Amino acid sequence: MERTSGAGVQAYYAESAEQLGRVYESISFESVHEALLDLLPDAPARALDVGAGTGRDAAALAERGFSVDAVEPVAELRRVAARLHADAAVTWREAELPDLHGVQGPYDVVLLSAVWMHLPPEERPAAMRRLAELLAPGGTLLITLRRGEPPADRRMFDIPPEEVAGHGAEAGLTLLRIVDEGADRLGREAVRWNSVALRRKQG
């Protein structure tokens, strides 16, 4: 199921950047990704945060000792992130899926938090191949999915985690975990979350 066109996605986030900064930063990285924390590699390691938004996750990864690249296509969000996390050891970049032009791996962990569900079906296989290409051997890909009826104000799809796992398998990635996160941490009754963890094989 889909709502609105692709043109409205970045416009929504650009117009809402300041408000989203307050909302996203009100919940900790550890709270949002509790079910995946044990899959993070030991520092030092290279991390890529795709669709980094206001920078909460990228800054948290940097605090854990990772070398972090954060890519975000919306300039307004990048400005908010750079301001809120001015002291974080993060490189902020402009790039977007499915191509992620200018992003160079390999990365030990790649994180997509509330990003994948914006991709239309025709872009998902190429996007997964690109993410797999950016992973180091043994590297881990972590994806969170917003589930439920998509909102009317931006393009979004209700994507089951099994589909993500299938695209991962086609790109040579092994499924590690599917997590039913349950209730939304912002208290939205119609929203729930899934997480998918995939890994590139060693060697």
Side-chain angles (χ1 to χ4, degrees), residues 105-181:
Y107 293 95
D108 301 293
V109 61
V110 175
L111 173 66
L112 285 80
S113 184
V115 172
W116 191 261
M117 69 267 191
H118 292 305
L119 290 176
E122 65 272 14
E123 292 185 359
R124 293 172 203 161
M128 184 63 75
R129 288 193 297 270
R130 177 67 171 127
L131 293 169
E133 177 183 272
L134 288 168
L135 284 172
T140 302
L141 174 61
L142 305 175
I143 297 177
T144 69
L145 300 166
R146 172 173 162 156
R147 305 299 310 282
E149 183 74 12
D153 53 6
R154 57 201 184 277
R155 184 183 69 188
M156 190 179 293
F157 303 85
D158 185 4
I159 303 174
E162 292 79 11
E163 179 190 305
V164 178
H167 287 313
E170 292 170 1
L173 302 179
T174 300
L175 177 65
L176 296 179
R177 184 179 301 170
I178 291 177
V179 181
D180 183 355
E181 303 280 3

Side-chain angles (χ1 to χ4, degrees), residues 63-74:
E63 289 176 4
R64 288 171 171 260
F66 296 164
S67 173
V68 182
D69 288 338
V71 298
E72 170 57 54
V74 179

Side-chain angles (χ1 to χ4, degrees), residues 25-114:
E25 302 291 328
S26 70
I27 307 175
S28 72
F29 168 83
E30 288 76 15
S31 174
V32 172
H33 301 295
E34 179 180 6
L36 302 174
L37 294 179
D38 64 304
L39 297 177
L40 293 175
D42 294 331
R46 287 194 77 201
L48 175 66
D49 186 2
V50 178
T54 60
R56 176 200 64 206
D57 295 347
L61 290 169
E63 289 176 4
R64 288 171 171 260
F66 296 164
S67 173
V68 182
D69 288 338
V71 298
E72 170 57 54
V74 179
E76 290 81 357
L77 286 176
R78 292 198 307 275
R79 285 195 289 270
V80 170
R83 186 185 76 241
L84 293 178
H85 303 288
D87 297 330
V90 175
T91 300
W92 309 100
R93 301 179 182 274
E94 178 182 2
E96 63 181 306
L97 288 168
D99 300 317
L100 293 176
H101 286 303
V103 180
Q104 296 185 348
Y107 293 95
D108 301 293
V109 61
V110 175
L111 173 66
L112 285 80
S113 184

